[in-house]
Amino acid sequence: MNQVESKVRSARRRIVLAKFGRALSVTLFGALIVATVAIALPALRVMSIDFDAWVYSWIGGAVAAAVVGSALYAWMTAPSVESVAAEVDKRFGLRERLSSSLSLDDDDRDSDFGVALVADASKRADQLDVADRFSLKPSRLGWLPLAIVPVLAIVLLLVEPMSETNASSAGKTDAVE
């Protein structure tokens, strides 16, 4: 039984990590968009802030929020052990051997049928390569956060915070014209 549980836990871990990776791509993209807008804000409005601290805070906060949000999403939507066992059975064509052996209660496990089922499931689980069928290959979605990085770099290079003197002189110039 230990071998069956080990394979199912490994498959569950890989499913959760895949969900985390996909969620991180999307949340990081959104968080970097918000950070880019927030970094550009001092150029549009007078703000009495330390611009460097503002930039680092927004970028660091956006990345941290994306990681935490993705981790929470992956953890909250993690499949149950029973559903993962059924998925392992499906992907390896085991005809519900693992899920049946995990769903047995103690009385049924001690019966002749239960002992035979657990032994067969353990034997089959020993031969499984979970990493082969539950691979963690990157998808195109992983490139999404990199799409906003050039925009963020341009904003960082071009944005200068507006100061009180720039704001007051701009108003006087408009009035004179």
Side-chain angles (χ1 to χ4, degrees):
M1 190 64 165
N2 195 11
Q3 186 68 13
V4 173
E5 290 173 351
S6 170
K7 295 295 182 174
V8 171
R9 274 184 300 190
S10 176
R12 185 172 190 259
R13 192 175 322 117
R14 288 178 157 279
I15 289 172
V16 170
L17 281 173
K19 279 187 176 196
F20 172 75
R22 286 188 301 272
L24 183 63
S25 297
V26 173
T27 57
L28 191 58
F29 178 72
L32 287 176
I33 287 175
V34 170
T36 303
V37 171
I39 290 168
L41 194 61
L44 303 173
R45 183 177 178 161
V46 176
M47 300 173 75
S48 58
I49 56 166
D50 178 22
F51 186 68
D52 290 337
W54 177 263
V55 168
Y56 295 134
S57 298
W58 273 102
I59 292 174
V63 171
V67 170
V68 169
S70 299
L72 283 174
Y73 169 77
W75 178 68
M76 297 292 282
T77 61
S80 67
V81 173
E82 293 82 17
S83 64
V84 172
E87 185 65 26
V88 171
D89 285 335
K90 180 179 146 191
R91 290 191 188 187
F92 286 99
L94 295 178
R95 299 184 190 152
E96 299 180 7
R97 282 184 175 92
L98 301 183
S99 57
S100 297
S101 69
L102 286 177
S103 66
L104 291 176
D105 58 359
D106 291 335
D107 294 336
D108 291 337
R109 190 171 289 128
D110 293 335
S111 69
D112 291 338
F113 173 75
V115 169
L117 179 63
V118 169
D120 182 48
S122 295
K123 177 182 160 191
R124 301 281 180 149
D126 191 36
Q127 301 169 355
L128 299 180
D129 182 20
V130 173
D132 182 41
R133 302 281 169 93
F134 291 89
S135 62
L136 294 174
K137 60 183 176 184
S139 67
R140 290 184 183 173
L141 195 59
W143 291 101
L144 189 60
L146 295 177
I148 195 68
V149 170
V151 176
L152 180 61
I154 290 170
V155 167
L156 286 172
L157 290 173
L158 297 181
V159 167
E160 286 199 28
M162 186 179 281
S163 64
E164 292 289 336
T165 57
N166 292 346
S168 62
S169 66
K172 290 178 185 175
T173 305
D174 291 338
V176 171
E177 288 177 0

